[in-house]
Amino acid sequence: MTKFFVYITAAIAALAGLLFGYDTGVISGAILFIKDQFQLSSRIVENVVSAVLFGAVIGAAFSGALADRFGRKKVLIVTALLFSAGSTGAALAASVPAIIVFRFIIGIAIGVASYTAPLFISEIAPPDKRGGLVSLNQLMITCGIVVSYLVDYILTMGQNEWRWMFGLGALPALILLCGMLALSESPMWLISKRRVEEARLILKKIMPEQKIEDEIKSVKASLSVKAGTWKDVMAPWMRPAIFVGVVLAFFQQATGINTIIYYAPTIFEFAGFASHKVSILATTGVGLVNVLMTIVAIWFIDRLGRKPLLYIGLAGMTLSLSILGLAFYLPGMMESLKIITVLSVIFYIASFAISLGPIFWLIIAEIYPLNVRGRAMSLATLSNWAFNMAVASTFLTLTEKLGKAGAFWFYAVVCIAGIAFCRLYVPETKGLTLEKIEDFLKKSKGLKAFGALK
Ligand code: BGC
């Protein structure tokens, strides 16, 4: 039986996922008001939206090293402080550059948290609960996004909307801070720092007494395999796994998810919705579908497998983006455009939520050998944020250059390439032990064989 302590720990650490979702989602509504108040051009709007992402890239780059050096707990405490300071600062900002700076600080916190929180949860969770808890993090991200949309919706009724939208993010950050102060450090990290006595006390709260000594032994044994260096990460036999992690990060982002998450209300206004309020309401519906379909994904992931879900999801995304493009392309569609846009966006988000959303984060937690897992995972996380930033900071320019229809068709073509990539190179990890995957990689059978693994 899993002890209550484990659930409390996971719930508190997952607040970092909630903040990830809240602070990335909140911009979609806030940007409408900031743009009006400061009369911003598309270029500056993109900068305000991307400031968080730029910070996240920097945060993710250092997250592995920081979490190994100072421990998961301290790093998450500092992250919570950064979240609170950034949210308060952004809420009180007097100018657009100040908003950008504070959103950048929030971004650093998100980048660090997006790696450290799942790592911390997975180290505290018993092996048979690990898979579910990894995807729980994605669920929390989607919950954070929908909460941010709801807050955006409610606040459109008041004054100083965008300030409150940013400021309210400080609340979960403070809860995360108090919670993390009360939690124990990861026992694995403590053992790795030779603080075995402290680790033993914590393990008592996590597992039955008779299993503790075995656990300490097996963690010590896995640590005796020399901790991998960057050279090990880049070793020829690791390349298929590195390639899959980084390219899957590319497809998770370049298929356009965050143009919907950050710009959905803007897209609805393109489609002819006149008021900010109605656009944000439609966006809240989109966020809810994201949460619900993530729950569906969690149910199917270990039953159907990863690859079938990726095919279904990517096919749905291709279809909805093509229709969205068509709706913007055909003239004289003004009234029906609204409804087609809303339906396509909902179908698109549902397709993402049952596939690339949770599966990217799950696969990168599964395919890397233990001794290089930290570094390899942070490389994939870093790539994810870098691609995210590249897409978000070019979306509005892309719609100006290719037209709105062209932009959506562009993402549709990337989805089709994504299907081919998954078919050829992504391994089916359903039901495989992590040791089997590691063994397979070590036998160096190459990228194509890795993709055929099941
Ligand atoms: C992605 C985010 C995205 C979110 C949407 C996550 O898996 O990494 O970029 O905003 O899903 O639900």
Side-chain angles (χ1 to χ4, degrees), residues 138 142 145 252-253 258 261 290 352 357 361 384 388:
Q138 171 71 12
T142 60
I145 293 173
Q252 200 208 36
Q253 295 300 325
N258 288 311
I261 298 288
N290 195 13
F352 174 85
W361 296 105
N384 189 282
N388 187 333

Side-chain angles (χ1 to χ4, degrees), residues 172-355:
L174 288 175
I175 304 177
L176 175 66
L177 178 66
C178 299
M180 284 312 302
L181 284 170
L183 287 186
S184 319
E185 181 50 273
S186 147
M188 285 198 188
W189 181 79
L190 287 171
I191 299 172
S192 79
K193 297 286 168 196
R194 303 187 199 295
R195 290 160 61 179
V196 179
E197 269 323 301
E198 282 169 73
R200 193 172 276 124
L201 288 179
I202 299 163
L203 285 170
K204 276 190 189 150
K205 297 194 220 164
I206 297 180
M207 54 179 55
E209 291 268 354
Q210 65 274 23
K211 288 198 176 160
I212 292 180
E213 291 315 311
D214 283 352
E215 174 71 13
I216 294 179
K217 249 190 234 145
S218 84
V219 175
K220 277 187 174 163
S222 73
L223 290 167
S224 68
V225 181
K226 203 166 63 48
T229 59
W230 278 111
K231 218 171 127 206
D232 298 316
V233 175
M234 296 303 166
W237 65 273
M238 273 290 291
R239 280 181 203 158
I242 294 297
F243 181 78
V244 167
V246 172
V247 180
L248 207 55
F250 168 80
F251 283 111
Q252 200 208 36
Q253 295 300 325
T255 44
I257 178 61
N258 288 311
T259 63
I260 304 291
I261 298 288
Y262 309 154
Y263 291 109
T266 309
I267 295 175
F268 292 137
E269 293 193 357
F270 284 165
F273 286 94
S275 83
H276 290 348
K277 198 164 170 210
V278 176
S279 301
I280 295 179
L281 179 64
T283 305
T284 309
V286 170
L288 271 177
V289 172
N290 195 13
V291 174
L292 293 178
M293 291 306 279
T294 305
I295 298 174
V296 174
I298 291 175
W299 199 81
F300 275 118
I301 252 170
D302 288 314
R303 293 180 167 86
L304 266 185
R306 288 51 162 159
K307 286 177 85 157
L309 284 181
L310 285 170
Y311 298 146
I312 297 170
L314 277 159
M317 288 161 75
T318 311
L319 188 69
S320 44
L321 286 166
S322 309
I323 296 175
L324 201 55
L326 205 62
F328 278 100
Y329 184 71
L330 296 176
M333 292 212 24
M334 230 28 213
E335 259 322 296
S336 36
L337 184 59
K338 285 188 192 168
I339 181 84
I340 297 177
T341 305
V342 174
L343 289 180
S344 310
V345 167
I346 285 182
F347 187 47
Y348 171 87
I349 204 89
S351 308
F352 174 85
I354 56 154
S355 59

